[in-house]
Amino acid sequence: MKQPESVQKLINAFSRLPGVGQKTAQRYAYAVIAMDKEDALDFASAIEGVKEKIKFCSICGNFTEDDVCDICKTRDHSVICVVSDPRDILSLERVAGRTFVYHVLGGTLNPLEGKGPDDLNIKQLLKRLDGVKEVIIATNPDVEGEATAVYLARLLKPMGIKVTRIAQGISMGSEIEYADEVTLSRALESRTEI
Amino acid sequence: MKQPESVQKLINAFSRLPGVGQKTAQRYAYAVIAMDKEDALDFASAIEGVKEKIKFCSICGNFTEDDVCDICKTRDHSVICVVSDPRDILSLERVAGRTFVYHVLGGTLNPLEGKGPDDLNIKQLLKRLDGVKEVIIATNPDVEGEATAVYLARLLKPMGIKVTRIAQGISMGSEIEYADEVTLSRALESRTEI
């Protein structure tokens, strides 16, 4: 069945979201049609609002409505946690005790996709190292994330900065029997005394 | 971490969609932030467009941008397929050969939620029965859908209209071993000669 044009447009818009296929996009579009007009217009203006107001923090690259984000504004800058994406900050903030600030790289090194050091927000990181005691590298534990971590460590260590990497090992609640070999060997290598 | 207000608003808007929790809403919101400005504004205007343009077909209750939907405009009206929701029309259109028109009830009978016959689009159905040979009832095979089907059959049969119900049985590709008892007994009752 041909959908009315306006519905098809909305389905296309929804299917641009990550992990949303045609069927889910359709479901969302129909939900919008069924919404109160007010709710739907709020939705539209929320999208517009984000595009108008959100920019990148001039220090760390996180999303913010101001020139400098709330985290950079209020915290001590002697420990910097490097992440590849602003989304990672959300997860880390849930567990970290407001003891460090962040730096968003905006991706990871990925030669296959032609993404080199110049494509990441590394220059900005180098500019803010004055008085920094430790840089925690919290990129994902995959090939690109590891390569990025190694690259940064080689860059920062000669400057006398302590560079650390978040630990890799068996996740809580998982079973050794089903752990993949790389994870298990990392867990063994990084074993700690109890 | 406190999100910037505009981001939080967008997350709230996304979490009003069906099946979207806080985490998914956040993912979608971040995707919108990462979108080109143009794409995001297109998205917002697609939502507005739908709310401006989409109304209900004055004959069948399906979504349409006109007074009467494309299906009602172009097809023979002698067979009407009754559905509870416009979404069901999409699925049926994928398999049906443009041989019938639809009628959207806008729900099913549900005494527990206080939804009686007057809350469904039944009056409008009764008005369009002139010359109709068959009414196919394609409500869901759950308690409410069945009750609605029985109610409609009792209403329409005395008017001399053939009332049919979509068949219930074992789905293609499923296994008898895992079929629930109701489905399996329906499949047995409705067995056909081969």
Side-chain angles (χ1 to χ4, degrees):
Chain A
M1 188 184 95
K2 234 182 77 247
Q3 301 265 8
E5 200 195 328
S6 58
V7 178
Q8 194 55 55
K9 263 192 196 160
L10 186 56
I11 294 176
N12 294 345
F14 273 121
S15 56
R16 262 180 243 133
L17 295 174
V20 176
Q22 201 61 19
K23 202 111 198 229
T24 309
Q26 191 178 290
R27 202 169 160 222
Y28 292 166
Y30 275 53
V32 169
I33 295 173
M35 264 181 199
D36 288 345
K37 189 160 186 177
E38 203 181 326
D39 283 347
L41 296 184
D42 276 356
F43 193 168
S45 73
I47 294 175
E48 288 162 355
V50 147
K51 291 320 270 191
E52 260 167 43
K53 288 180 195 155
I54 292 298
K55 25 188 190 181
F56 296 106
C57 169
S58 62
I59 298 176
C60 74
N62 189 13
F63 299 139
T64 172
E65 292 185 358
D66 305 316
D67 183 48
V68 172
C69 75
D70 279 354
I71 294 177
C72 283
K73 252 185 226 162
T74 53
R75 290 193 201 161
D76 182 67
H77 281 240
S78 60
V79 179
I80 297 177
C81 179
V82 174
V83 295
S84 60
D85 193 289
R87 259 171 298 181
D88 300 329
I89 296 182
L90 281 176
S91 304
L92 288 160
E93 279 294 287
R94 259 178 241 129
V95 297
R98 299 160 178 276
T99 49
F100 48 70
V101 290
Y102 295 90
H103 189 83
V104 180
L105 293 177
T108 43
L109 295 178
N110 193 336
L112 286 177
E113 291 181 5
K115 210 155 189 176
D118 291 341
D119 301 309
L120 302 181
N121 193 13
I122 292 177
K123 266 185 207 154
Q124 187 58 34
L125 175 63
L126 298 180
K127 277 185 203 155
R128 55 186 287 213
L129 292 177
D130 244 10
V132 168
K133 285 182 226 144
E134 181 180 352
V135 170
I136 305 169
I137 303 180
T139 51
N140 285 332
D142 52 19
V143 180
E144 293 83 17
E146 287 295 282
T148 311
V150 170
Y151 177 86
L152 286 177
R154 282 195 191 144
L155 197 69
L156 301 175
K157 268 187 170 171
M159 298 171 171
I161 293 166
K162 184 176 165 190
V163 180
T164 56
R165 176 91 173 101
I166 52 165
Q168 288 166 48
I170 303 283
S171 324
M172 282 302 291
S174 73
E175 290 174 53
I176 291 177
E177 182 182 354
Y178 301 118
D180 64 285
E181 287 163 35
V182 181
T183 299
L184 202 52
S185 72
R186 290 280 168 95
L188 271 175
E189 278 167 27
S190 313
R191 66 190 179 277
T192 54
E193 207 171 302
I194 51 171
Chain B
M1 191 183 92
K2 233 181 78 249
Q3 301 266 7
E5 200 195 327
S6 58
V7 178
Q8 194 55 55
K9 262 191 196 158
L10 186 56
I11 293 176
N12 294 345
F14 272 122
S15 56
R16 261 180 243 132
L17 295 174
V20 176
Q22 200 62 19
K23 204 110 198 227
T24 309
Q26 190 178 293
R27 202 169 160 221
Y28 291 165
Y30 276 53
V32 169
I33 294 173
M35 265 181 199
D36 289 345
K37 189 160 185 176
E38 204 181 325
D39 283 348
L41 296 185
D42 277 356
F43 193 168
S45 72
I47 293 175
E48 288 162 354
V50 147
K51 291 317 271 190
E52 260 166 43
K53 287 179 197 154
I54 291 298
K55 25 188 188 177
F56 296 107
C57 169
S58 61
I59 298 175
C60 74
N62 189 13
F63 299 139
T64 173
E65 292 185 355
D66 305 317
D67 182 48
V68 171
C69 75
D70 279 355
I71 294 178
C72 282
K73 252 185 227 162
T74 53
R75 290 192 201 161
D76 182 66
H77 282 240
S78 61
V79 179
I80 298 178
C81 178
V82 175
V83 296
S84 60
D85 193 290
R87 261 171 297 181
D88 300 328
I89 295 181
L90 282 175
S91 304
L92 288 160
E93 278 294 287
R94 259 177 241 129
V95 296
R98 298 162 179 275
T99 48
F100 48 70
V101 289
Y102 295 90
H103 189 83
V104 180
L105 293 176
T108 43
L109 294 178
N110 193 335
L112 286 177
E113 290 181 4
K115 211 156 188 176
D118 291 342
D119 301 309
L120 302 182
N121 194 12
I122 292 176
K123 266 183 207 156
Q124 187 58 33
L125 175 63
L126 299 179
K127 277 186 202 155
R128 56 186 286 212
L129 293 177
D130 243 11
V132 168
K133 283 183 229 143
E134 182 181 351
V135 170
I136 305 169
I137 303 181
T139 51
N140 285 332
D142 52 19
V143 179
E144 293 82 18
E146 287 294 282
T148 310
V150 170
Y151 177 86
L152 286 177
R154 282 195 192 145
L155 197 69
L156 302 175
K157 269 188 168 170
M159 298 171 172
I161 294 165
K162 184 175 166 192
V163 181
T164 56
R165 176 90 174 102
I166 51 165
Q168 289 165 47
I170 303 282
S171 324
M172 282 300 293
S174 72
E175 290 174 54
I176 291 175
E177 182 182 353
Y178 301 117
D180 65 284
E181 287 162 35
V182 181
T183 300
L184 201 53
S185 72
R186 289 281 168 93
L188 271 174
E189 279 167 27
S190 313
R191 66 190 180 277
T192 53
E193 206 171 304
I194 51 171

